[in-house]
Amino acid sequence: MAEDNDIHVLVTGANGGLGFAICLRLIDEFVSSGPPDQRLHLVVTTRSRAKGVITVSRLKRHIKKKHYALSSRVSVRLENVDLTVLRSVKALATMLRDQLPRLDAVILNAGSGGFTGLNWPQAIWAVITDLVHAVTWPAYKRASIGSLTAHQTSQGTEGGILNTPPSVESTLLEEPPLGEIFCANVFGHYLLSHDLAPLLKASAGRGSNATAGRVIWISSLEADPGGLQVSDVQGLGSRVAYEHSKRLTDVLALTSALPSTQPWVETWLGERLVRGGRGDVLPKVRVYVAHPGVCATSIVPLHAIISYAMVVVLYLARWLGSPWHTVTAYSGACAPVRLALAPQAELDRMENDGGPGKWGSATDLWGRDRVTRTEVDGWGLGGRIDKGDVPVSPRRPGRRRGAIDLTEDALQDFEDLGRGCWREIEGLREAWEGIL
């Protein structure tokens, strides 16, 4: 059947910025390179239904304007979810499991920065004296500390939207603290992926496809290399909760295939899909991590004039030699879209040649984008010292100042951190499943 060859992709946080650009680029690259008898079924999620309707309308206008003759090859479906409301996450997953045949890729893009503004004197001085570093790894953003989600068991959902409390008794239940930024950026997606695992496993049965679906985490260049502790995996005590959550994202994704983490990874995604009363061992869901480089989005609240000035500064950083300043969200979508649409054999070659990597969107001086490996503290370029991770020139373009060459001890510490984080977050998931 022709439908067996279709592609089903879910993108969270699609109403603007990088999420919307990922949807546009998915459509453009699919239409331009996919087989003519193949269709793309795109499921987009937003927290606000009103913004979601506008998002779908904009995507459909783009399809008609740019791909009018081939518009029948793309369908767009809107769903709503609030990733900081666990009942909302589970309601969405339940509905999708009932209505979709499979998911070939889930792009976990939605998130929150928790930023409250900038330390302006520090920001101005950093940009004047050290422009490229200052706008690649900014240390002058202000953010809230220890913000928690609303009480989970006192919230109900209808179609993924928060509504009235389900019961008076539920408001009396004791709940463990749940960090708002942690939940928006990591845990909500983690729970969603767990509940969508049957759809991701079902991807292995489409047409001649022999591989399960892909979970693609969206990280950041700003992932804090030194602040993540297993004892505070949520980052409740961190002054950089956003950067902390992105470091956690890197650690979870990059260690997801290690033998030492499998007891928790396999519980998260499961190993078997029961069909017709028989347990069939299917290929495992693949887990990848990507980042958009540095692009101009509204994650930090800024006045419109300041936002325009920021774009100029980002272009200047690119012209001064930075490979990471993609500037536009469309260029920033390069890496996640490649991970979503590339043949599995191509991705396997990429990671077999140099190990599992953090795949970043990068550009040259003229804005021609590409996908490239990104150095991760404690993991290097691919978690393999024998694959050219060391020595790395400290002057290599795009390398964070102060980055340390990978060593056996650092790699072991990273694996230990990954094992501890997997144990904690999977234990947290099981605890919340019991509470909900």
Side-chain angles (χ1 to χ4, degrees), residues 55-364:
T55 297
V56 171
S57 177
R58 292 172 64 198
L59 289 172
K60 289 182 176 180
R61 285 201 304 270
H62 173 80
I63 294 169
K64 289 183 179 180
K65 181 178 179 180
K66 192 169 182 179
H67 309 290
Y68 180 77
L70 302 173
S71 59
S72 62
R73 292 183 57 203
V74 180
S75 68
V76 182
R77 168 177 173 164
L78 170 66
E79 299 295 346
N80 296 108
V81 65
D82 186 338
L83 290 163
T84 66
V85 179
L86 300 186
R87 291 187 188 276
S88 173
V89 173
K90 296 190 74 64
L92 172 65
T94 299
M95 179 168 53
L96 293 180
R97 286 200 311 270
D98 290 341
Q99 298 179 6
L100 296 183
R102 65 181 174 275
L103 278 170
D104 302 299
V106 174
I107 302 179
L108 306 176
N109 164 77
S112 173
F115 302 117
T116 58
L118 302 180
N119 180 329
W120 283 106
Q122 184 180 355
I124 293 170
W125 178 254
V127 170
I128 291 174
T129 60
D130 194 9
L131 186 145
V132 174
H133 189 85
V135 296
T136 309
W137 298 281
Y140 42 77
K141 291 184 291 187
R142 288 176 170 165
S144 56
I145 301 174
S147 297
L148 301 177
T149 66
H151 198 273
Q152 294 292 325
T153 52
S154 65
Q155 300 178 99
T157 61
E158 180 178 352
I161 304 300
L162 184 66
N163 62 11
T164 56
S167 69
V168 174
E169 290 79 5
S170 67
T171 64
L172 304 178
L173 292 176
E174 291 291 334
E175 292 184 1
L178 190 57
E180 183 178 22
I181 303 304
F182 165 74
C183 195
N185 296 353
V186 182
F187 192 61
H189 281 138
Y190 185 89
L191 185 61
L192 180 64
S193 300
H194 169 78
D195 286 356
L196 293 178
L199 293 179
L200 290 162
K201 292 281 186 179
S203 177
R206 68 176 178 90
S208 59
N209 187 45
T211 60
R214 305 164 187 175
V215 173
I216 302 166
W217 289 91
I218 301 299
S219 183
S220 169
L221 275 172
E222 298 178 47
D224 181 21
L228 178 59
Q229 301 291 331
V230 175
S231 59
D232 184 20
V233 74
Q234 299 191 46
L236 293 177
S238 175
R239 293 182 176 274
V240 286
Y242 172 81
E243 293 84 348
H244 182 283
S245 72
K246 295 306 179 182
R247 174 65 168 177
L248 177 59
T249 297
D250 290 352
V251 170
L252 291 174
L254 293 173
T255 62
S256 63
L258 295 179
S260 62
T261 64
Q262 293 315 292
W264 302 284
V265 177
E266 290 174 356
T267 305
W268 173 47
L269 292 174
E271 287 188 291
R272 293 178 178 271
L273 175 66
V274 177
R275 288 179 176 171
R278 183 182 77 253
D280 298 326
V281 178
L282 295 175
K284 291 185 177 181
V285 173
R286 308 299 181 96
V287 181
Y288 299 97
V289 60
H291 72 81
V294 183
C295 50
T297 67
S298 59
I299 192 168
V300 179
L302 295 173
H303 188 277
I305 295 176
I306 302 299
S307 296
Y308 286 121
M310 178 184 70
V311 172
V312 174
V313 172
L314 296 186
Y315 275 113
L316 183 57
R318 179 201 290 176
W319 297 331
L320 290 174
S322 169
W324 297 128
H325 285 77
T326 50
V327 184
T328 68
Y330 192 86
S331 288
C334 175
V337 170
R338 172 85 168 276
L339 293 175
L341 295 182
Q344 189 59 52
E346 177 182 333
L347 299 184
D348 289 344
R349 283 194 301 271
M350 289 165 57
E351 301 221 324
N352 289 338
D353 288 345
K358 179 178 180 178
W359 300 100
S361 301
T363 68
D364 63 11

Side-chain angles (χ1 to χ4, degrees), residues 380-392:
L381 297 174
R384 296 180 183 177
I385 293 178
D386 62 341
K387 290 294 183 179
D389 266 333
V390 293
V392 178

Side-chain angles (χ1 to χ4, degrees), residues 29-68:
E29 295 197 9
F30 172 81
V31 171
S32 64
S33 61
D37 63 339
Q38 191 177 56
R39 299 186 71 224
L40 171 65
H41 302 276
L42 183 59
V43 182
V44 300
T45 77
T46 62
R47 186 168 58 176
S48 161
R49 180 169 295 278
K51 290 182 178 179
V53 171
I54 295 173
T55 297
V56 171
S57 177
R58 292 172 64 198
L59 289 172
K60 289 182 176 180
R61 285 201 304 270
H62 173 80
I63 294 169
K64 289 183 179 180
K65 181 178 179 180
K66 192 169 182 179
H67 309 290
Y68 180 77

